[in-house]
Amino acid sequence: MLGCRSSNHMRAVDLIRKKRDSGEHSREEINFLITGYTRGDIPDYQMSAWLMATWIRGLSGAEIAALTEAMLQSGEVITFPELPGKKVDKHSTGGVGDKTSLVLAPIVAAGGLHVPMISGRGLGHTGGTLDKLESIPGFNTGLSLGEFRRVLRECGMALIGQTAEIAPADKKIYALRDATSTVENIGLICASIMSKKLAEGIDALVLDVKTGSGAFMQKEEDSVRLAELMVETARRMGKKAVALITDMDQPLGRFAGHSHEVIESIEVLKGRGAADLRDLSIELSAWMLFLGDRTKSVDEGCALGAKLIASGEALEKFQQGIALQGGDARVIDDYSLLPQARNRKEIKSQADGYLSATNCMEFGVALATLGGGREKKEDPIDPGVGLEFHKRIGDRVTSGETLVTVFYNSEAKLAEAVQRIENSFIFSNQPVPGKKLVRRLVGA
Ligand code: URA
């Protein structure tokens, strides 16, 4: 097997060996890998092997910069000279129940800024914004560049995935990482996120870097390192950027699962819903409004975000955005239009005590086991399955109380999912403080 050969005799097989043996790639070698894979000259199996070697050996700062730029240059870098005002976006590193994009994009668009958001699908144990939106009947996350521009111009927000035109390298590598357990690597995450975000033609970016048992970076110091790397990358490319290090020691909000998360987001836009989801969505919106020069301070941004929810303008914006992307906007008032699981099961606490910690990643894996995630790239998602979390860290729990309601369709994987969930709650006899939502700011 010769592997992929270029005119100057660079070969993927040699670059895989080099990374396997802890070598450092030159910029030309990284460009060769990324252009070759994006074009289809380098097959999935060689890219998978390189990703695993990279996951194990890591990337130097110079390699991360070269990878980010090669992935960015794999497609078009959009600009929006026709749109007045600032373009801003937010990206999260991913977690369980992390659905803030669905809440904050309409808030910020209702506030008068433009949000051209390129998002991802589920990755590892985390859910993806695109998969969530696609649980809305008809919603098209695959708009052409022309349609993306039109929707953005008409309503101030548009949410799509990477395309053959924009960040195509990330489109392919992202799906491959999801199916090859090569996600949790600082360099690969930085290049994936920043190649999409820098292609969007934005002026400012807010990064939500998760930390804790449900995050890719479980240790706070790793999350801070990732945040610093991404903020520095954004600034090097002339963008304003800030990162919030936020808690993922437990799910965000009350629900995980695609239709359930759409409903929960709509509830927050109606002024109801989970307090943590509402607070974090408003805080992230406030940073976007501030960096986009719409408000003079983050506090003013928070007040504006809350006002746009209370007035119904943010909800109206979401409804308009759904319709413009081909979705059935009646879901705003009629949740039964969203796919629903047929069965439910309550998981009860076997213990008395205070909920002190969760193995949050296991909730995401349990959801994927029920059909709410992919094992292989081609797998469909079951948008109706979900988990409802009844207790938060710090809550007093008595034996027999419901911890989680599982919404499921197939009995086949239920026992495995239930076991994962049951094993993921840790109790203490002593009172435990609740978790702080925003742990730190980076680059503020
Ligand atoms: N989000 C992304 O877009 N890419 C990653 O690698 C992780 C989270």
Side-chain angles (χ1 to χ4, degrees), residues 172-194:
K172 289 186 79 176
I173 294 172
Y174 191 97
L176 202 56
R177 285 170 61 218
D178 183 37
T180 57
S181 277
T182 50
V183 177
E184 313 90 331
N185 172 279
I186 283 186
L188 295 177
I189 295 177
C190 173
S192 164
I193 292 180
M194 299 312 291

Side-chain angles (χ1 to χ4, degrees), residues 293-372:
D293 295 335
R294 173 65 179 80
T295 60
K296 292 203 180 59
S297 68
V298 178
D299 284 348
E300 197 187 310
C302 284
L304 179 58
K307 189 170 144 246
L308 292 165
I309 291 180
S311 66
E313 289 166 86
L315 181 68
E316 215 174 286
K317 190 55 79 178
F318 193 40
Q319 191 159 20
Q320 185 191 6
I322 293 173
L324 282 171
Q325 292 200 223
D328 187 342
R330 292 174 304 163
V331 296
I332 297 281
D333 298 310
D334 183 357
Y335 300 152
S336 73
L337 294 169
L338 291 159
Q340 320 265 336
R342 286 184 298 276
N343 312 306
R344 65 170 64 193
K345 177 179 174 58
E346 305 214 325
I347 299 180
K348 311 264 185 203
S349 176
Q350 316 272 332
D352 285 324
Y354 296 89
L355 181 57
S356 62
T358 76
N359 186 353
C360 184
M361 181 183 286
E362 283 293 291
F363 297 137
V365 177
L367 183 64
T369 305
L370 294 169

Side-chain angles (χ1 to χ4, degrees), residues 78 80 89 91 105 115-121 128-131 133-134 139-152 157-167 170-171 196-197 199-200 324-325:
I78 328 169
F80 299 102
D89 194 11
H91 197 85
V115 186
M117 190 180 275
I118 301 176
S119 300
R121 299 198 173 275
T129 301
L130 301 177
D131 295 323
L133 286 168
E134 285 176 3
F139 196 102
N140 181 9
T141 61
L143 302 181
S144 69
L145 187 46
E147 289 164 334
F148 184 53
R149 283 182 186 285
R150 180 181 60 82
V151 174
L152 190 59
M157 61 179 259
L159 292 98
I160 58 164
Q162 316 95 320
T163 70
E165 295 157 306
I166 313 163
D170 186 53
K171 183 178 172 76
K196 285 191 281 289
K197 299 288 125 173
E200 286 174 346
L324 282 171
Q325 292 200 223

Side-chain angles (χ1 to χ4, degrees), residues 192-207:
S192 164
I193 292 180
M194 299 312 291
S195 67
K196 285 191 281 289
K197 299 288 125 173
L198 295 171
E200 286 174 346
I202 46 173
D203 301 291
L205 177 63
V206 176
L207 293 154

